[in-house]
Amino acid sequence: MTAADYIKHHLQSLTSLSDVTQGQGLKNIADFSFINLDAIFFAVVLGVLGSFLLWRGAKAATAGVPGRFQAAVEILYEFVDDMCKSIIHNEQSRKAVAPLGLTLFVWIFLMNAMDLLPVDLLPVAWQGLTGDHHALLRVVPTADLNTTLALAIGVLIICIYYNIKIKGFGGWMHEMFSAPFGSKLAPANFLLNLVEFLSKTVSHGMRLFGNMYAGELVFLLIALLGGAWAASGSVGVMDPILFVFHILAGLAWAIFHILVITLQAFIFMALAFVYIGQAHDAH
């Protein structure tokens, strides 16, 4: 397998297509004829894990001196709640939106954190389990555009819900046709507002996907350094420089990536608050 084949293999998902056709790749930008099973599986498992951790933190809460885990959950909750209060001023809405933001942050952080696992760990385990040395498996759900756009569309649906709840359907439609240029330019206003909703949703999902996809590529390139080091043993003594560079590069990028995965989860949550807050504002 060449370096290009190795990267291509790792960037393909386990899909609902047959074994013969699933490795052929997409023929269209949007193909709804199959499902990326690995993205759904890991997203669901990590969602359940995140919910369990938050449930454990809430169940273990006491009025006395908190333990380290309880303190961490409380700090995270207070941080998210304070941010929600600063953006969304409707107290009733915050009762639902703040927990939503906390769920998004924890869920996306856990999905992003899958990128810190060795790139061949779970794929090789899956190949051994299935007995197929060419079996596909991607373990980072947020490096799949389907996952991030699905999350962004979920936020869009919530924004539409609060637009209708706060302003009424008639009031929201009036705003769609009258803002920002006045009722005399109603068609232009409506088109502009549709473009705004679409662009916010696409950019919301693409930002998270782009950062995690790029991070995944860097880890694959670093893994190729290890492969080059191992291959150097076939022509003599293994090159110690490649080995040291592989370890240092992997360690440095993993440490930096901890910041990236946390920051991307925070940005997605913050933008969700901003977009939902805009649904409460009248133009």
Side-chain angles (χ1 to χ4, degrees), residues 135-235:
L136 301 172
L137 187 71
R138 292 185 72 185
V139 302
V140 187
T142 45
D144 187 333
L145 184 58
N146 298 279
T147 303
T148 59
L149 282 182
L151 291 170
I153 291 171
V155 173
L156 172 65
I157 293 173
I158 294 171
C159 290
I160 294 174
Y161 166 78
Y162 276 107
N163 268 298
I164 297 174
K165 180 180 179 181
I166 299 299
K167 306 164 188 175
F169 183 77
W172 180 46
M173 284 295 101
H174 178 266
E175 180 179 276
M176 290 286 287
F177 282 96
S178 62
F181 302 122
S183 56
K184 293 183 178 179
L185 295 174
N189 291 328
F190 184 70
L191 180 60
L192 186 62
N193 283 307
L194 286 181
V195 171
E196 180 185 356
F197 276 108
L198 177 63
S199 61
K200 287 193 298 187
T201 302
V202 172
S203 63
H204 200 190
M206 287 290 292
R207 181 182 292 103
L208 176 59
F209 160 73
N211 281 277
M212 298 313 302
Y213 186 84
E216 187 179 35
L217 277 178
V218 173
F219 275 120
L220 290 174
L221 293 174
I222 292 173
L224 287 174
L225 289 175
W229 169 74
S232 67
S234 62
V235 293

Side-chain angles (χ1 to χ4, degrees), residues 1-2 30 46 106 110 117 124 131 145 161 179 233 239 263 280:
M1 182 180 290
T2 65
L46 294 171
V106 173
L110 291 174
L117 294 176
V124 169
L145 184 58
Y161 166 78
D239 189 345
L263 185 62
H280 289 71

